[in-house]
């Protein structure tokens, strides 16, 4: 099991950051997610160490601290667990700021993706409309030239008679 965790993390980081064709906003969101995961996992361990033996401390085990880190990073904050020491609260501030930043970046990346897809669709429709207008213009120009040619032939035929 211990050998699987680093491999899993390496695959997760590669999945989030490793794609060449990915846009900058998705790379930034992926990097923020990796940082968030790291801060949640490490912050949970650090807060347990900071709270150990403090009077009134509720973050006394890694699983409880992990739950606290997730609810803090997501800004849910049920209030069931919270740090009571200065160091624990400083760790909480880091988890909060990184969580808010990461979720903001992911939200911005998704919004940018949706807006980009909509712009691509609009551009495609505009291009199709421009092609249709150009084709219609060419057809009308050809028809006008044919009519002028026919009128000229008619006029020339009238002169020769």
């Amino acid at each position: 099991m211990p050998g699987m965790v680093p491999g899993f993390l390496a695959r997760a980081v590669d999945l989030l950051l490793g794609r060449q064709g990915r846009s900058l906003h998705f790379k930034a969101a992926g990097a923020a997610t990796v940082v968030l995961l790291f801060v949640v996992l490490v912050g949970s361990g650090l807060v347990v160490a900071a709270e150990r033996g403090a009077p009134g401390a509720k973050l006394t085990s890694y699983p409880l601290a992990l739950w606290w880190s997730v609810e803090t990073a997501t800004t849910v904050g049920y209030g069931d667990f919270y740090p009571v020491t200065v160091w624990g609260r400083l760790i909480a501030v880091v988890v909060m700021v990184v969580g808010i930043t990461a979720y903001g970046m992911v939200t911005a990346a998704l919004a940018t993706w949706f807006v980009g897809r909509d712009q691509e669709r609009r551009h495609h429709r505009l291009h199709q409309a421009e092609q249709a207008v150009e084709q219609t213009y060419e057809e009308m120009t050809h028809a006008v030239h044919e009519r002028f040619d026919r009128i000229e032939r008619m006029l020339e035929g009238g002169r020769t008679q």
Side-chain angles (χ1 to χ4, degrees):
M1 176 78 174
M4 291 176 56
V5 174
F8 167 75
L9 288 176
R11 284 190 300 276
V13 169
D14 185 50
L15 177 68
L16 291 169
L17 302 177
R19 303 263 169 100
Q20 285 290 8
R22 231 180 230 172
S23 61
L24 179 61
H25 59 277
F26 274 115
K27 287 180 183 179
T33 302
V34 169
V35 170
L36 175 62
L37 288 171
F38 177 78
V39 167
V40 165
L41 294 173
V42 172
S44 298
L46 291 175
V47 82
V48 169
E51 297 287 299
R52 184 171 288 128
K58 294 182 179 182
L59 297 170
T60 56
S61 71
Y62 188 79
L64 290 175
L66 187 58
W67 172 250
W68 165 82
S69 289
V70 170
E71 70 180 18
T72 300
T74 59
T75 69
V76 170
Y78 293 119
D80 50 353
F81 299 104
Y82 51 89
V84 295
T85 65
V86 172
W87 285 109
R89 290 178 179 173
L90 287 174
I91 294 165
V93 168
V94 171
V95 171
M96 288 177 212
V97 169
V98 171
I100 291 167
T101 302
Y103 290 114
M105 290 179 76
V106 169
T107 302
L110 287 172
T112 303
W113 180 72
F114 281 119
V115 168
R117 287 191 66 202
D118 185 56
Q119 286 178 339
E120 286 176 11
R121 278 194 294 266
R122 288 177 188 222
H123 177 74
H124 181 69
R125 284 193 301 253
L126 179 62
H127 182 70
Q128 286 178 327
E130 287 172 347
Q131 285 180 329
V133 166
E134 188 174 311
Q135 183 179 355
T136 303
Y137 173 77
E138 288 174 9
E139 289 172 359
M140 290 180 71
T141 303
H142 182 70
V144 167
H145 282 290
E146 284 182 358
R147 286 182 182 170
F148 278 132
D149 290 344
R150 192 171 56 230
I151 292 171
E152 285 178 353
R153 282 192 301 272
M154 289 171 62
L155 289 174
E156 287 175 2
R159 286 188 200 150
T160 57
Q161 293 178 358

